[in-house]
């Protein structure tokens, strides 16, 4: 008998937002089962449940212990897996819901942003052999000591991709409230266009640059284990976006998408003495607070005597970084320190950048034509990012999207 295919289907919060939607998702899984597939579902908390739980925790405590936050937040997924199993039973099929602890989805012990270390297959395989649809709680894990962990906001995608990888699934389907990955967030750029196929590298950069549609670590699993990921709508049957290994044609387009991050801050130090030891002190003091630094720019003047340094950090770290830099400014006589507690970063992404020239020039021109000042610029092989004032973010996104004609299916993404 030919071995049955295996499919992982993940349903995000809006796709299980009420009883009717839960039934719709259940019917989709049943349909795959009737087509001869073994089905593992991964389900997020209903609607905005996780946001509400976070808000509730903050009402009770200004600094909720992370262990307790994890115990609280994982309840959202426990509700939706149970309801999903009920909906499948109601549809006349067998299903079982499993929490991370029941399944054996092991993580490290970093509460609120744990990483998956190992997934036990026995229980999963046993249930699948019984012909059941297995419904796994997304976003959660358990550490060696049996403590409940979570994998970071939006990480049900990662649960799904990791399960698809260990089970050697034929596909991982991500059902969401958009019908695929777009050239920009369609909520911010209404004429953004759906992308049919995108490489893991591009999607990973998009996720890192703020495209909330997929959790970055999910893409890493897909890439490492060559699991194609299909991002698609839970409301329709139209083909969505395949995230897959890069194919030759993909480089023909210089820019695939434009993203915006609005949760950043920037610090500019003016007139510090140009001493490599001092630069090292600055960044090691910042690192002591686990602050992730990005986009460092430095220029030297006064015959090599003095330097200006600017860098970008997550907005949530801005207050701590301010304390550190203000203290160093006093100790080492910096001329001044400018703090921008909110900045935005617009990033253009595409593997075609490797073989197309003029991409940066076109992006800078687009921002300049829109009268938007660029604070810092960063480039890597397939990304160009410009930090702009926070009020300019959405306009910068549209300006760059328009400049590369990303809404036009023919002229897409060219630098010329
Ligand atoms: P889910 O709850 O299903 O995980 P998310 O809210 O995490 O859904 O992700 C879907 C949302 O991602 C969309 O509603 C859309 O606004 C946003 N998004 C951001 N960037 C993009 C993009 N480039 N393409 C598609 N959607 C995007
Ligand atoms: N429910 C979790 C969150 O809102 C995980 C997810 O939806 O992927 O972040
Ligand atoms: Mg999501």
């Amino acid at each position: 008998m030919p071995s049955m295919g295996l499919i992982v289907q993940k349903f995000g919060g809006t796709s299980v937002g009420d009883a009717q939607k839960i039934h719709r998702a259940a019917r989709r899984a049943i349909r795959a089962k009737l087509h001869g597939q073994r089905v593992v579902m991964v389900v997020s908390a209903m609607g905005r449940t996780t946001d509400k739980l976070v808000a509730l925790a903050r009402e009770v405590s200004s600094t909720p212990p992370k262990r307790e936050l994890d115990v609280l937040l994982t309840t959202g997924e426990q509700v939706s897996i149970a309801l999903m199993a009920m909906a499948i039973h109601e549809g006349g099929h067998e299903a079982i819901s499993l929490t991370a602890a029941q399944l054996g989805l092991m993580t490290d012990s970093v509460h609120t942003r744990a990483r998956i270390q190992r997934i036990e297959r026995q229980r999963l395989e046993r249930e699948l052999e019984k012909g059941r649809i297995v419904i796994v709680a997304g976003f959660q894990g358990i550490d060696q000591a049996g403590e409940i962990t979570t994998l970071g906001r939006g990480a049900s995608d990662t649960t799904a991709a990791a399960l698809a990888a260990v089970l050697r699934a034929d596909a991982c389907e991500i059902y969401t409230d958009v019908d695929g990955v777009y050239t920009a967030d369609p909520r911010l750029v209404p004429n953004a266009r759906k992308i049919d196929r995108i490489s893991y590298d591009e999607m990973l950069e998009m996720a890192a640059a703020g495209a909330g549609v997929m959790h970055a670590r999910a893409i890493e699993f897909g890439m490492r284990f060559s699991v194609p990921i299909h991002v698609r709508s839970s409301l329709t049957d139209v083909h969505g976006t395949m995230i897959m290994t890069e194919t030759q044609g993909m480089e023909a387009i210089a820019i695939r998408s434009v993203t915006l991050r609005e949760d950043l801050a920037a610090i500019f130090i003016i007139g510090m003495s140009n001493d490599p030891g001092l630069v090292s002190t600055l960044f090691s003091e910042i690192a002591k607070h686990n602050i992730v630094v990005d986009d460092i720019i430095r220029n030297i003047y006064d015959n090599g005597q003095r330097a200006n340094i600017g860098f970008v950090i997550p907005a949530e770290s801005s207050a701590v970084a301010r304390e550190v830099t203000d203290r160093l400014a006093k100790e080492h006589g910096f001329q001044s320190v400018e703090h921008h507690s909110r900045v935005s970063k617009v990033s253009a992404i595409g593997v075609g950048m490797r073989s197309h020239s003029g991409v940066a020039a076109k992006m800078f021109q687009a921002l300049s034509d829109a009268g938007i000042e660029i604070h810092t610029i960063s480039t890597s092989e397939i990304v160009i990012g410009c930090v702009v004032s926070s009020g300019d973010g959405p306009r910068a996104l549209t300006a760059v999207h328009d400049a590369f004609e990303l809404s036009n299916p023919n002229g897409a993404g060219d630098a010329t």
Side-chain angles (χ1 to χ4, degrees):
M1 201 178 108
S3 69
M4 290 165 88
L6 193 152
I7 188 165
V8 175
Q9 297 186 326
K10 178 256 169 177
F11 293 87
T14 42
S15 304
V16 292
D18 56 35
Q20 200 192 347
K21 287 182 178 151
I22 289 174
H23 273 295
R24 186 193 288 268
R27 283 198 296 275
R28 203 180 275 278
I30 291 171
R31 214 185 321 148
K33 176 95 201 312
L34 293 174
H35 276 101
Q37 306 262 34
R38 288 173 296 160
V39 183
V40 174
M41 296 176 89
V42 173
V43 185
S44 292
M46 293 171 71
R48 309 222 65 88
T49 300
T50 313
D51 290 335
K52 287 184 193 148
L53 291 171
V54 171
L56 198 53
R58 300 229 183 278
E59 269 181 50
V60 172
S61 160
S62 57
T63 48
K66 290 186 171 170
R67 177 193 183 277
E68 304 308 333
L69 257 183
D70 281 351
V71 174
L72 178 70
L73 298 193
T74 48
T75 60
E77 272 69 14
Q78 189 162 334
V79 169
S80 46
I81 55 171
L83 293 173
M84 187 64 76
M86 292 174 197
I88 289 173
H89 285 139
E90 191 70 16
H93 289 261
E94 275 208 54
I96 183 162
S97 65
L98 295 175
T99 62
Q102 289 172 308
L103 165 72
L105 190 149
M106 311 304 299
T107 69
D108 62 22
S109 306
V110 184
H111 285 293
T112 73
R113 50 190 177 92
R115 292 181 82 101
I116 298 175
Q117 291 183 328
R118 190 163 45 86
I119 299 180
E120 304 284 354
R121 285 166 40 186
Q122 294 90 315
R123 179 77 194 264
L124 273 171
E125 284 172 353
R126 225 172 39 237
E127 301 297 346
L128 287 169
E129 268 163 33
K130 289 181 194 158
R132 293 176 166 168
I133 293 174
V134 180
I135 305 156
V136 175
F139 171 61
Q140 57 180 250
I142 189 153
D143 76 0
Q144 286 293 344
E147 296 284 5
I148 294 172
T149 57
T150 60
L151 311 174
R153 294 302 309 271
S156 292
D157 298 335
T158 298
T159 308
L163 284 170
V166 297
L167 294 169
R168 310 246 177 281
D170 300 294
C172 177
E173 297 184 332
I174 304 288
Y175 288 94
T176 183
D177 62 355
V178 267
D179 58 3
V181 177
Y182 276 64
T183 50
D185 185 343
R187 283 189 219 185
L188 301 176
V189 182
N191 66 357
R193 203 170 40 84
K194 191 171 86 188
I195 301 168
D196 285 331
R197 295 175 313 144
I198 187 166
S199 68
Y200 294 118
D201 285 325
E202 287 167 315
M203 193 65 229
L204 194 54
E205 294 291 358
M206 278 177 72
V213 63
M214 279 293 294
H215 195 249
R217 243 179 264 151
I219 316 295
E220 287 173 12
F221 274 108
M223 179 151 68
R224 191 137 45 93
F225 297 92
S226 298
V227 182
I229 298 174
H230 186 180
V231 180
R232 54 189 307 192
S233 164
S234 57
L235 297 178
T236 69
D237 281 331
V238 296
H239 185 273
T241 301
M242 289 305 298
I243 307 172
M244 54 192 278
T245 307
E246 189 179 329
T247 57
Q248 250 182 350
M250 286 185 182
E251 277 206 12
I253 294 169
I255 295 298
R256 176 83 53 195
S257 72
V258 188
T259 59
L260 182 66
R261 269 191 76 170
E262 300 197 277
D263 56 348
L264 298 171
I267 295 182
F268 296 97
I269 297 172
I270 323 285
M272 64 193 276
S273 85
N274 180 25
D275 167 3
L278 186 52
V279 176
S280 146
T281 305
L282 168 67
F283 288 108
S284 50
E285 289 290 317
I286 300 249
K288 274 187 199 157
H289 296 274
N290 289 325
I291 298 173
V292 183
V293 177
D294 209 356
D295 296 2
I296 301 172
I297 52 162
R298 174 164 176 257
N299 68 296
I300 295 164
Y301 62 99
D302 208 4
N303 283 328
Q305 297 296 303
R306 301 195 78 75
N308 298 334
I309 284 196
F311 54 92
V312 175
I313 52 173
E316 61 180 20
S317 308
S318 136
V320 179
R322 180 178 211 133
E323 275 170 36
V324 173
T325 44
D326 284 351
R327 176 168 54 76
L328 291 174
K330 276 200 200 106
E331 287 171 15
H332 299 277
F334 302 162
Q335 197 178 315
S336 60
V337 184
E338 262 180 42
H339 297 277
H340 299 256
S341 57
R342 278 277 165 188
V343 293
S344 297
K345 183 171 178 179
V346 56
S347 303
I349 294 147
V351 286
M353 230 181 258
R354 298 187 194 121
S355 51
H356 289 69
S357 57
V359 174
K362 187 161 186 158
M363 181 161 173
F364 303 154
Q365 188 66 51
L367 294 173
S368 151
D369 289 348
I372 295 168
E373 187 192 351
I374 303 173
H375 297 310
T376 71
I377 297 165
S378 57
T379 58
S380 69
E381 203 190 8
I382 65 166
V383 189
I384 301 176
C386 294
V387 169
V388 300
S389 298
S390 74
D392 289 336
R395 241 167 17 93
L397 181 71
T398 305
V400 177
H401 192 268
D402 285 351
F404 288 99
E405 296 180 53
L406 294 184
S407 50
N408 173 358
N410 301 315
D414 238 342
T416 49

